Amino acid sequence: VAKTNGGAIYTDTGALTLKNVDFEDNFVTANAEGDMGYGGAIFAQGGIIDIQGTENDYAEFEANHALTGGAVYVSRHATSVNIENVEFEGNWASDIGALGIFGKNVTLTNLMFTDKYTTGQYKDLGFNDGGGALFFGSEAQAVLDNGVFLSNESAGVGGAIATRSPSKGNNSAAKLDIKNSTFSENVAKTNGGAIYTAFYNSEGAVD
């Protein structure tokens, strides 16, 4: 539990490498101004982020919550993000239910997102990005391969996945490629029951 950012881990710069880890019931509290409460389990300010399980034993993030980024929040200062063989279950936040990535050079492989949701509680403070499970910021250049999204829900856009709106940042260079992925029973209150994207340079191949 933390009162600022990163309920279990806060990393500033350098490299964060986590293998075969489980994070459960971690959280951060928000203040009235909305300038804290990022990353229920992990907040990464910058550097290189590498989180891995194995094909037979996924790393797990379960029942973590925050103002934004219910499980993990990676800021735009991160230079490389690799997340592989990880399951996110039952995490929640006001927006960005499980995983928020604002950094560049992002590779996501073999990820499962189930029963994540956003509440929209702090939308009047600008926390209305949506993304029931996964969110990408305006500088992200990401590849998602073999993602499974089941029963995620957003109080705004993107029941499973959302990207940063151009009204909040210049996303002309951002890119999201989705491959070999499955979406089922995801719900958004407004647009994009499964995916809401405002990126212009994206490709998708989903089941």
Side-chain angles (χ1 to χ4, degrees), residues 66-67 92-95 117-123 153-156:
L67 166 63
W92 61 273
S94 180
D95 71 347
Y117 65 94
T118 66
T119 65
Q121 180 180 358
Y122 290 89
K123 64 182 180 180
E153 184 173 349
S154 171

Side-chain angles (χ1 to χ4, degrees), residues 115-191:
D115 299 319
K116 261 71 61 187
Y117 65 94
T118 66
T119 65
Q121 180 180 358
Y122 290 89
K123 64 182 180 180
D124 292 340
L125 294 177
F127 294 92
N128 56 354
D129 284 314
L134 176 59
F135 180 85
F136 296 96
S138 56
E139 298 182 22
Q141 295 182 341
V143 176
L144 168 63
D145 190 359
N146 194 29
V148 176
F149 296 81
L150 175 63
S151 299
N152 303 290
E153 184 173 349
S154 171
V157 299
I161 298 175
T163 67
R164 176 56 57 89
S165 166
S167 66
K168 287 191 170 185
N170 182 358
N171 61 13
S172 60
K175 184 175 183 179
L176 170 60
D177 293 344
I178 301 174
K179 306 176 182 180
N180 308 313
S181 295
T182 301
F183 298 81
S184 180
E185 299 180 6
N186 301 286
V187 178
K189 185 175 181 180
T190 57
N191 299 320

Side-chain angles (χ1 to χ4, degrees), residues 14-190:
L16 174 66
T17 301
L18 299 171
K19 295 187 177 182
N20 304 322
V21 293
D22 295 333
F23 292 86
E24 184 175 357
D25 293 324
N26 300 284
F27 67 92
V28 287
T29 56
N31 64 1
E33 291 76 28
D35 58 5
M36 60 182 63
Y38 292 56
I42 297 173
F43 177 86
Q45 177 65 28
I48 299 171
I49 312 302
D50 187 11
I51 303 173
Q52 297 186 39
T54 67
E55 289 188 4
N56 295 322
D57 186 14
Y58 275 30
E60 295 184 6
F61 290 82
E62 182 177 356
N64 305 285
H65 64 93
L67 166 63
T68 185
V72 179
Y73 187 102
V74 180
S75 90
R76 65 184 181 86
H77 302 293
T79 55
S80 176
V81 180
N82 178 65
I83 302 177
E84 183 175 359
N85 299 323
V86 179
E87 180 177 3
F88 297 85
E89 181 177 1
N91 303 282
W92 61 273
S94 180
D95 71 347
I96 311 177
L99 175 58
I101 298 179
F102 292 77
K104 306 176 182 68
N105 304 317
V106 180
T107 303
L108 307 177
T109 310
N110 299 337
L111 303 187
M112 296 182 62
F113 296 86
T114 57
D115 299 319
K116 261 71 61 187
Y117 65 94
T118 66
T119 65
Q121 180 180 358
Y122 290 89
K123 64 182 180 180
D124 292 340
L125 294 177
F127 294 92
N128 56 354
D129 284 314
L134 176 59
F135 180 85
F136 296 96
S138 56
E139 298 182 22
Q141 295 182 341
V143 176
L144 168 63
D145 190 359
N146 194 29
V148 176
F149 296 81
L150 175 63
S151 299
N152 303 290
E153 184 173 349
S154 171
V157 299
I161 298 175
T163 67
R164 176 56 57 89
S165 166
S167 66
K168 287 191 170 185
N170 182 358
N171 61 13
S172 60
K175 184 175 183 179
L176 170 60
D177 293 344
I178 301 174
K179 306 176 182 180
N180 308 313
S181 295
T182 301
F183 298 81
S184 180
E185 299 180 6
N186 301 286
V187 178
K189 185 175 181 180
T190 57

